[in-house]
Amino acid sequence: MEPARPAAVVVLAAGEGTRMRSSLPKVLHPLCGRTLVGHAVAAARALQPEHLVVVVGHGRDAVRAHLAEADPGVVTAVQDRQLGTGHAVACGLEALPPLTGTVVVTYGDVPLLSGTTLRALVEAHERDGNAVTVLTALLDDPTGYGRVLRAVDGTVAGIVEEKDATPEQRTVYEVNSGIYAFTAAALRDGLARLTTDNAQGELYLTDVLALARAAGGRVDALRTADTWQTEGVNDRVQLARVRRELNRRVVEAWMRAGVTVEDPGTTWVDVDVTVGRDAVLRPQVQLLAGTVVGEGAVVGPDTTLRGTRVGPGAQVVRSHCEGAVVGEGAAVGPFAYLRPGAVLGAGAKVGTYVEVKGSTIGAGSKVPHLSYVGDAQIGEGANIGAATVFVNYDGVAKHRTVVGDHVRVGSDTMLVAPLVVGDGAYTAAGSVVTQDVPPGAMAVARGRQRNVEGWVERRRAGSPAAEAARRAREQGAREPGGREPGGREPGGQEQVGTAGEEQA
Ligand code: UD1
Ligand code: CA
């Protein structure tokens, strides 16, 4: 069946959300990669409505700014004072040209409602030629909800709010979700007739149903068995409940699509994340904000990826990555921190206690241990020795370092930017490199070692160190082939030392 294209969806989001006890408007609280209202807008978008209007009130500036960014096609309408759901819908319609066809109403705080359910609602509404079709659910505990009153023929006679209901009406377990499809005319006519003659002194949208029926229209319900789709968020306990359920659904969908999830209960995946087939998510993994994990990649345990691309077959272990790109077959962690602009080529490695920011690390290059790589461009096949620091900040401005292909940076090297280390160059361990290194050169920038012979036995006499030194001296005297005092290898060459270079 052709998906129906309604004239408009009106999303109600003007309420205060007092029970959140938050300085953030309720509908802007995040949930699995979108705000609450972002979920409502995404579900509405699935209907491809001609108009999508969100009614804002409390926190309107923040909500409007958020919507302008999240979905610039959304129109906002202001409801200055919250005079009731009927008044809110009227405010929404005022922001639109006169409508014909179907108008859908939803809430900004019901995040699990799916586009599929909305489509089913619109289809039932149009198929049966209804004036109003309301989405309902059967709840074990209907307390607080409007109750659905059925006519003898099984259609809907009306909705009564709990506060206005008789004891008998309160025994009804079928509740109003607050989500409806209306024909534009029935909605407009009903809204014009609403009164505040009720327990809360509000203009109830729910009264439109009985009014439409009295005017000769057919009013019916679509009952959903999935009560989560009608659940609103009023406080942070409900927010957590709904978050767990939405996450469960998202993680389950990825498992059905071929992803191994070792511990679904501790795996959190935002709705806008993509995970490739045969990827493995170990326990305690968060995949957030548009992260993409490639086929066969292994992520976790204990890893957070935010806006990060992980290539096929790559591994990220016990790490935190934001705005990073990890190339095919690359390895990250354990205990690495990739910040925005960290780009690792195929087969590259960023190891333990390494932080990378705004830097490209070429294919097959390795930064295995204890390093900071900031604002650098590293070529292919390079090895950055343990405890190297790319000194990118002079206290005023950030500067870049370029390291060529197959460079070997010695351990504990300070590369003071701006700096270029040419292809195939080496740096000596412990160097502070402040000048460009030509291709193939060895840069040495450190004090030459001086040994003061016999110092410990003279100045620390009686200490365990002095005793050990004495024994070594006496043994050396007995063994003619023993190590020369001073330990320098023949020829007095500089030893370079790039610890971490030989990685298994
Ligand atoms: C409403 C329904 C009730 C239904 C329940 C489902 C009415 C009269 N009652 O009750 O039948 O079972 O939802 O959750 O419609 N809002 C505005 N402006 C207003 C009033 C509300 O934007 O003036 C928005 C709120 O921000 C919220 C939604 O509409 O997102 C529902 O409002 P709320 O006050 O929670 O309605 P209920 O009394 O719970
Ligand atoms: Ca409510």
Side-chain angles (χ1 to χ4, degrees), residues 447-493:
R448 190 173 273 279
Q449 184 172 331
R450 180 172 75 96
N451 294 335
V452 181
E453 294 293 343
W455 187 93
V456 174
E457 280 187 79
R458 288 197 306 279
R459 304 295 291 269
R460 296 290 181 268
S463 68
E467 276 308 295
R470 182 185 57 75
R471 285 196 299 275
R473 178 169 50 74
E474 288 170 1
Q475 194 178 4
R478 282 196 302 274
E479 291 172 15
R483 210 169 134 95
E484 283 289 303
R488 177 51 74 202
E489 63 184 39
Q493 277 174 11

Side-chain angles (χ1 to χ4, degrees), residues 12 14-15 79 82-85 88 107 109 145-146 161 176-177 204 206:
L12 305 189
Q79 185 194 26
Q82 278 61 67
L83 304 177
T85 48
Y107 290 164
D109 56 3
Y145 286 92
E161 292 306 291
N176 170 25
S177 68
Y204 287 169
T206 45

Side-chain angles (χ1 to χ4, degrees), residues 19 26 107 109-110 144-145 177 232-234 238:
R19 282 172 283 168
K26 174 167 83 173
Y107 290 164
D109 56 3
V110 181
Y145 286 92
S177 68
V233 171
N234 293 309
Q238 281 175 310

Side-chain angles (χ1 to χ4, degrees), residues 9-11 31 34 36-47 104-121 135-136 177-180 222 224 226-233 242 245-246 249 271:
V9 178
V10 182
V11 179
L31 180 81
R34 287 191 189 121
L36 293 181
V37 71
H39 285 285
V41 166
R45 274 287 173 232
L47 296 176
V104 172
V105 174
T106 71
Y107 290 164
D109 56 3
V110 181
L112 262 62
L113 176 69
S114 72
T116 310
T117 299
L118 277 182
R119 216 174 290 127
L121 180 73
L135 185 70
T136 68
S177 68
I179 293 149
Y180 323 78
L222 178 73
T224 174
D226 182 6
T227 57
W228 285 103
Q229 293 210 34
T230 65
E231 181 144 339
V233 171
V242 165
E245 176 59 19
L246 179 53
R249 292 176 181 213
V271 292

Side-chain angles (χ1 to χ4, degrees), residues 194-388:
L194 292 184
T195 69
T196 55
D197 183 16
N198 55 56
Q200 301 182 81
E202 291 181 1
L203 294 166
Y204 287 169
L205 179 61
T206 45
D207 287 348
V208 171
L209 278 71
L211 289 165
R213 190 181 169 86
R218 186 173 192 276
V219 180
D220 207 349
L222 178 73
R223 194 189 283 167
T224 174
D226 182 6
T227 57
W228 285 103
Q229 293 210 34
T230 65
E231 181 144 339
V233 171
N234 293 309
D235 62 27
R236 301 197 203 220
V237 176
Q238 281 175 310
L239 182 63
R241 254 171 64 78
V242 165
R243 174 178 289 123
R244 182 160 285 285
E245 176 59 19
L246 179 53
N247 185 66
R248 193 191 65 72
R249 292 176 181 213
V250 170
V251 168
E252 190 174 308
W254 285 118
M255 289 192 282
R256 296 201 187 283
V259 176
T260 294
V261 180
E262 292 183 351
D263 188 12
T266 65
T267 303
W268 295 87
V269 180
D270 278 356
V271 292
D272 60 350
V273 162
T274 311
V275 190
R277 235 172 117 99
D278 290 319
V280 177
L281 306 181
R282 297 250 151 92
Q284 304 277 8
V285 164
Q286 291 176 295
L287 304 181
L288 310 175
T291 287
V292 176
V293 174
E295 286 194 13
V298 179
V299 179
D302 304 334
T303 293
T304 297
L305 305 181
R306 183 181 288 281
T308 291
R309 291 187 152 264
V310 176
Q315 291 190 41
V316 184
V317 182
R318 287 185 213 281
S319 292
H320 187 101
C321 308
E322 296 195 19
V325 177
V326 177
E328 181 165 355
V332 176
F335 308 110
Y337 179 23
L338 303 186
R339 291 167 51 199
V343 178
L344 278 56
K349 178 185 170 99
V350 165
T352 310
Y353 303 121
V354 175
E355 176 178 338
V356 181
K357 183 218 84 175
S359 297
T360 301
I361 298 177
S365 287
K366 293 177 173 155
V367 190
H369 331 274
L370 297 159
S371 292
Y372 173 63
V373 182
D375 303 316
Q377 182 190 321
I378 299 174
E380 298 186 355
N383 192 89
I384 309 301
T388 292

